[in-house]
Amino acid sequence: MSDFIMKDTDQQMSDKCINENTAWQHKLLNSANKFLHWVITLDTYDGSEKIYTHMTETSNYVFFFGGTLRTVTKSRLYSVFVFCSLIVPLALFSIFECRHLWYHSHGLHLRTLIIVFYYFNLLTASSFFRAACSDPGVVSRNVHMPGMAIAYQIPREYYNHVILPSENQSAVITMKYCQTCRIWRPPRSSHCPVCDVCVLTHDHHCIWLGNCIGQRNYRFFIAFLISSIIACLLQVALSAIRLSNVTHPSKAPVSILLICYCGLGVQYPLILFLYHIFLTGTQQTTHEYLRSIGSKNPIFHKITRDRNSPYDRGSFFKNLIHLMFQERGWILVDPTKRQRYPRDVRFQRIPEAHTMENI
Ligand SMILES: [Zn+2]
Ligand SMILES: [Zn+2]
């Protein structure tokens, strides 16, 4: 009898141990899942109240580190290619060139140049991340739904442009209703089909950065172009100095490679920067310019200034300063913050509106 009781107690203890182990494993698995979901938030809503999990439902964004960084699911990793093309020459210079230049330089000037070169590379990397992975100025969804969160039909007047008054009598500011986001878009904003969001002062969707360029990251985009141009030119200069210090060019093959690579590579950000100088000087975003010429290809089209534009500041320079250094404004949808109201309609995907004619 006592043997039987002992066996029963042993069995109970072993069951309890297994249950505790299973519960512990389950807890660990749950925590690991939560952590992974925090590191990369794909299109899977896990029931949490964090906005970065909700925004994956209403956009094509993928969030990293709890909504701190973002990219677009359709970006095809071009941004990784761009980042590697920045890092590879820097790594080659650091491994093969820098030491020789630093220790065999005859003055402080060259060392200063090397420090300045690294500073601009750091600036390039930081502006790249801020332009590619930060909020371009996403507008909240479902703000203007005329008493019909459930019905899909919208009033006829929502299909027309709304014309707002402007200081210039001959200029018009138009507003359009976004049927996908269910909002009256603020002036100069537009819907990006790649990101599937409306963006404030939308310039363009950059496939190389995997993000939209809008009101909140335009200055980082410009900073990225300027710093990459300067970093390329400094790279060419430093490699040329290194080449002049050796007795034969064959003794510094990396210098020749870097001069060719950066000499050719600088052209892309340089052309893009010049193009944006003319665009901002004429007070146009890329989106507005392409719409005005009626083409998706800006090559061989002249950029002209529309003096009747409601946004024109009176001079090329004032326009340039106004658009390049425009106020970033508030983050309208901050994925890092916990949402205030559970089941907030702004983070729900509501089917696109249509008229009775389309049914
Ligand atoms: Zn929209
Ligand atoms: Zn976009």
Side-chain angles (χ1 to χ4, degrees), residues 283-339:
Q283 191 58 257
Q284 294 178 91
T285 62
T286 305
H287 180 78
E288 286 166 350
Y289 172 64
L290 294 180
R291 201 174 48 194
S292 73
I293 60 170
S295 164
K296 285 188 175 178
N297 188 3
I299 302 168
F300 305 126
H301 283 94
K302 202 177 166 191
I303 302 175
T304 49
R305 184 173 150 205
D306 176 13
R307 288 175 194 276
N308 277 333
S309 162
Y311 312 109
D312 193 83
R313 298 269 149 165
S315 79
F316 186 92
F317 185 68
K318 276 184 186 170
N319 281 336
L320 187 141
I321 295 294
H322 170 251
L323 211 50
M324 269 196 191
F325 303 101
Q326 62 189 312
E327 291 246 336
R328 291 182 69 209
W330 292 339
I331 303 179
L332 298 178
V333 193
D334 188 352
T336 58
K337 297 271 182 346
R338 192 176 286 274
Q339 65 170 293

Side-chain angles (χ1 to χ4, degrees), residues 60 125 218 229 351:
N60 289 332
Y218 190 68
I229 292 165

Side-chain angles (χ1 to χ4, degrees), residues 61 72 136 191-197 199 202 204-206 210-213:
Y61 284 130
V72 182
H191 188 90
C192 171
V194 186
C195 303
D196 202 15
V197 288
V199 176
H202 187 224
H204 68 288
H205 179 88
C206 180
N211 198 4
C212 265
I213 303 301

Side-chain angles (χ1 to χ4, degrees), residues 178 181 191 197-198:
C178 178
C181 298
H191 188 90
V197 288
C198 270

